[in-house]
Amino acid sequence: MISFVLIYLVGLPIAVLLHEVGHAIGSAWLSKEKVSVYLGPLDDSNKENFRFGKVSFHIRWAYYGFCALVKPKEKRSKIQRFLFLAGGPAASLSLALLSFAALNQLTNWDLQNFTKGFMYINLWLFAGTSIPVIYPKWMGPYAGRPSDGYQLIQLMKKEKTIASEAD
């Protein structure tokens, strides 16, 4: 019971934050641009809590998050856009796999349950953000926004269109 409450109150927000950090790493790695990671609303009410290199963190306890470039000055290459978009789902999948690997090493029942819950949350985040969709209205802060997978498909389609026009 305690592990369920902890996974809901702590594990889910941490998983969402780390998903968004995955986006930030994908962008900040190959770019000079500054990136903002938001846990909670993507607006001025969510003030910056701290900065780590080129990444600023705006954290309010929530079950949703965003990652955004801060006033983009340079045109990002296709690989930079790809790494930005794929970074979040890649982080979620990596966390799920790490959690799975840790399960065999844990002996405490509550810690095993928490780790298992964290693994399932990250699998859900991976799947929910990788499937190419426009999120429906009932998805609250994500309503009307394209998933990471949808944006990756659009990036690939744009690539094919540009290549076929050049022929």
Side-chain angles (χ1 to χ4, degrees):
M1 176 68 171
I2 291 173
S3 55
F4 175 76
V5 172
L6 283 176
I7 196 66
Y8 184 74
L9 292 177
V10 178
L12 181 56
I14 288 173
V16 170
L17 179 63
L18 292 174
H19 175 95
E20 300 307 333
V21 168
H23 285 299
I25 290 170
S27 182
W29 183 34
L30 293 176
S31 171
K32 295 175 186 162
E33 299 295 333
K34 292 181 180 176
V35 183
S36 291
V37 170
Y38 290 84
L39 182 63
L42 178 65
D43 60 28
D44 292 336
S45 72
N46 195 350
K47 301 291 182 200
E48 181 179 324
N49 299 97
F50 63 95
R51 181 178 298 274
F52 187 75
K54 294 185 278 185
V55 183
S56 64
F57 290 84
H58 305 252
I59 300 174
R60 286 178 43 194
W61 184 78
Y63 297 115
Y64 61 95
F66 302 94
C67 184
L69 291 173
V70 178
K71 299 178 185 172
K73 297 174 190 156
E74 62 185 47
K75 184 174 167 94
R76 293 183 299 152
S77 69
K78 291 172 193 92
I79 191 70
Q80 287 171 322
R81 289 182 298 205
F82 178 85
L83 289 174
F84 176 76
L85 293 170
S92 295
L93 182 60
S94 297
L95 289 167
L97 293 172
L98 285 171
S99 298
F100 180 75
L103 281 174
N104 291 332
Q105 308 302 317
L106 301 173
T107 55
N108 181 287
W109 187 78
D110 285 325
L111 197 51
Q112 282 179 334
N113 280 343
F114 180 85
T115 303
K116 197 179 294 184
F118 195 68
M119 177 187 71
Y120 288 130
I121 285 172
N122 279 289
L123 282 173
W124 176 79
L125 276 172
F126 170 72
T129 58
S130 296
I131 297 170
V133 297
I134 302 289
Y135 293 117
K137 286 182 183 178
W138 59 266
M139 291 289 290
Y142 297 121
R145 295 178 184 267
S147 69
D148 298 333
Y150 185 92
Q151 293 178 74
L152 283 166
I153 295 290
Q154 294 304 310
L155 182 65
M156 301 301 183
K157 281 183 179 178
K158 200 180 293 184
E159 176 75 23
K160 287 182 182 178
T161 304
I162 292 168
S164 64
E165 288 174 358
D167 290 339

